[in-house]
Amino acid sequence: MPKTSTTGDRAAPEPETTLGLPAASALVIGSVIGTGIFALPSALAPFGPVSLVAFVVVTVGALALALTFGALSKRVPASGGPYVYAREAFGEFAGFLNAWSYWITAWAGNAAIAVAWVGYVEVFVNTGHKTWISMSLALAGLWVAAAINLTGVRNIGAFQVITTVLKFVPLVFMATIGLLFVDPDNFGAFNASGRSTLGAISAAAAIALFSYLGLEAASVVAGRVRDPERNVPRATVYGTLLCAVIYILGTLAVFGTVSHGALGTSIAPFTDAANNVFGGTWAGDVVAVAAIISGIGALNGWTMLCAEMPYAAARDGLFPDAFAKLRGQSGIPVFGIIASTVLASLITVFSYTRFEDVFTKIVLLSVLTAVIPYLFSAAAQLYWLLVRGRETLSPRRMARDVTVAALALAFSYWSIQGSGYQTVYYGLFVLLLGVPVYVWLKRGQGQYGDADTAVPAALTSCEERAPETPAPPRRLSVGPATNRVGGPHKRTAHRPQDRPAPFRATEDDTTS
């Protein structure tokens, strides 16, 4: 039976906490390493080997973000990740925009994963690449992942561990043995894009960043992780480090074993690389099977994130209430899973019928909508350090943490400008579509501005809602030293003692 927690005079079931460190780490690795890495060399090929430089730069930025998320999750060990951090630091509207943007990232990213996944499925079927069959395969992948998520959190975690182990075999192989077969002639011109070197690095980095989306996965589902203050930062940082090593070496091996011309048109570059190393097709088939398993694992993890982020926001009245309702013994946010999968299916169908470079188009939109929550999270960490850091941290740690947060913030800005004008235009338009939704939600609550108004009965009587995110605090103000930032928000439907304390400030606030 799910745990229960008191909501007023009603009992509300709380989602089972069933993810330990291995499952949380597998969620990070499995969400980061999906089919993106298997398709990325082809997407980066038009830039030439200069894209490897971009990959290194992106890796440094991703590690800064991982450290930032690790530090934030220690202070707010609750589900929601970037949404919770932005809301705690900057208020409800910033929290809503982050939840809205990240939600778009999750389901649009699922569409990109599904498209790349199809490229490896078609190593065995639909070798003629008929559009309607490719589209049907992508939709099947999306709904298989949704079906797994609907069976419960425990099954999600177990499936994630299994697929993570299986996907690592070919990637580790290409990142080690594959390097022995690198031919310098395959690399082609260092900068094949026709842009300046800096421009090529920026543009390639915007695509490469897609490979690291999901590094925040453990923080998004922190409420379902055992001992989140300890396990979430470790899973985030160690998982990102492991992915970084595999990514850089594996991509280098593919660039060096597949000719530049062939790489640009390949739909399964790791398969082509394995075939070139061993000859024949058997090795490529093995890699393709691993990529298929990897894709399903990534879709499984991201489908969970699709539901968890709006679930956390809906609990606080900042997303439609349907997203906060849980079903079943383990507390499954069914509406969030179904709604996100439907939207991912729609954008997949649209992309196959309108875009030639389907993967790249969706990738750039997903990256932009992900970077916005990353930017707010880095800003929230920097804000807390500048306002409260001196009270709890040594000068040395303070300097280190400010540097890391500033680097993560600068990296986020750089990633946005590298996405291109068209992507920023569409991304900003999609982001601002959330404003009318926010107005509609606030109108339904009868609240304007900071007025203290009781939460509507519809939000307080929902038996399926689990109080696992901290209450939105009052704005930060510089004052006497305290071990908490802000306090319980008057609008919350849950008693303060039923929640984890927000922003616990300790000397061990950051990941060592």
Side-chain angles (χ1 to χ4, degrees):
M1 293 292 291
K3 297 177 291 184
T4 60
S5 177
T6 303
T7 303
D9 58 354
R10 306 290 295 273
E14 184 175 336
E16 289 183 343
T17 301
T18 57
L19 300 179
L21 179 60
S25 299
L27 180 62
V28 173
I29 297 171
S31 298
V32 172
I33 298 181
T35 49
I37 179 58
F38 289 97
L40 202 66
S42 295
L44 294 176
F47 300 97
V50 70
S51 59
L52 295 172
V53 177
F55 224 137
V56 173
V57 175
V58 168
T59 298
V60 173
L63 290 174
L65 285 169
L67 289 168
T68 299
F69 278 113
L72 287 165
S73 64
K74 285 188 176 183
R75 291 201 299 276
V76 191
S79 288
Y83 152 71
V84 176
Y85 310 146
R87 190 201 62 190
E88 290 285 337
F90 307 117
E92 288 189 343
F93 184 61
F96 167 80
L97 285 181
N98 276 265
W100 177 263
S101 185
Y102 191 89
W103 183 56
I104 293 171
T105 294
W107 57 258
N110 265 2
I113 292 171
V115 169
W117 178 76
V118 167
Y120 283 89
V121 173
E122 290 182 342
V123 170
F124 305 102
V125 300
N126 190 35
T127 54
H129 309 301
K130 294 182 179 179
T131 300
W132 72 271
I133 297 180
S134 298
M135 184 169 59
S136 299
L137 290 170
L139 294 176
L142 290 170
W143 285 99
V144 165
I148 295 170
N149 269 257
L150 291 173
T151 64
V153 177
R154 193 180 301 275
N155 291 337
I156 296 171
F159 188 80
Q160 204 67 15
V161 171
I162 293 171
T163 55
T164 297
V165 172
L166 292 176
K167 77 175 65 177
F168 251 73
V169 175
L171 289 173
V172 170
F173 173 82
M174 288 304 300
T176 54
I177 305 301
L179 292 174
L180 301 177
F181 295 87
V182 167
D183 182 353
D185 292 336
N186 286 327
F187 287 103
F190 178 71
N191 181 5
S193 67
R195 311 184 187 197
S196 66
T197 300
L198 182 59
I201 291 175
S202 296
I207 298 175
L209 180 58
F210 180 77
S211 297
Y212 285 106
L213 297 188
L215 62 88
E216 72 291 340
S219 69
V220 174
V221 300
R224 298 181 185 266
V225 177
R226 288 192 293 273
D227 192 9
E229 294 174 69
R230 176 178 174 83
N231 288 333
V232 170
R234 291 167 67 192
T236 300
V237 175
Y238 298 154
T240 303
L241 277 171
L242 184 58
C243 292
V245 173
I246 296 297
Y247 272 1
I248 293 176
L249 297 182
T251 304
L252 175 63
V254 172
F255 265 74
T257 54
V258 181
S259 68
H260 180 260
L263 188 60
T265 58
S266 174
I267 62 169
F270 271 82
T271 290
D272 294 340
N275 287 336
N276 289 346
V277 169
F278 289 101
T281 61
W282 68 269
D285 290 347
V286 171
V287 172
V289 169
I292 292 170
I293 294 172
S294 177
I296 288 293
L299 286 171
N300 175 63
W302 273 101
T303 300
M304 184 181 188
L305 301 185
C306 281
E308 288 294 317
M309 176 65 78
Y311 163 77
R315 282 197 56 261
D316 302 316
L318 296 180
F319 238 69
D321 195 50
F323 285 93
K325 295 180 179 180
L326 302 178
R327 297 286 185 268
Q329 294 298 308
S330 60
I332 303 301
V334 173
F335 182 82
I337 293 171
I338 298 298
S340 300
T341 306
V342 168
L343 289 170
S345 299
L346 291 175
I347 194 173
T348 298
V349 171
F350 179 82
S351 299
Y352 268 109
T353 56
R354 296 297 182 92
F355 298 146
E356 292 183 3
D357 49 345
V358 180
F359 179 74
T360 302
K361 294 288 188 183
I362 303 178
V363 160
L364 287 173
L365 177 61
S366 300
V367 166
L368 181 67
T369 52
V371 168
I372 292 172
Y374 290 174
L375 189 153
F376 271 92
S377 297
Q381 168 71 347
L382 190 61
Y383 183 24
W384 183 88
L385 288 168
L386 295 178
V387 175
R388 291 283 188 259
R390 292 184 179 87
E391 301 170 3
T392 57
L393 302 177
S394 65
R396 181 178 179 180
R397 177 163 289 185
M398 175 71 174
R400 185 196 70 179
D401 291 356
V402 167
T403 300
V404 171
L407 177 61
L409 186 66
F411 173 71
S412 299
Y413 279 115
W414 181 62
S415 299
I416 290 175
Q417 69 85 28
S419 298
Y421 295 112
Q422 186 179 37
T423 303
V424 172
Y425 168 77
Y426 285 118
L428 180 62
F429 180 78
V430 170
L431 178 66
L432 294 181
L433 282 178
V435 174
V437 177
Y438 183 78
V439 172
W440 171 63
L441 290 169
K442 284 299 182 182
R443 177 192 175 279
Q445 296 169 14
Q447 180 179 339
Y448 181 81
D450 293 326
D452 294 319
T453 306
V455 178
L459 296 180
T460 59
S461 63
C462 177
E463 295 187 6
E464 299 88 347
R465 176 162 302 162
E468 61 181 62
T469 57
R474 296 184 178 91
R475 291 300 180 88
L476 292 173
S477 59
V478 180
T482 176
N483 67 337
R484 297 183 68 174
V485 176
H489 195 285
K490 292 184 179 180
R491 288 185 56 247
T492 182
H494 310 294
R495 298 176 303 176
Q497 60 266 33
D498 291 330
R499 290 189 188 78
F503 281 140
R504 284 186 286 276
T506 66
E507 177 67 20
D508 190 34
D509 265 332
T510 58
T511 303
S512 298

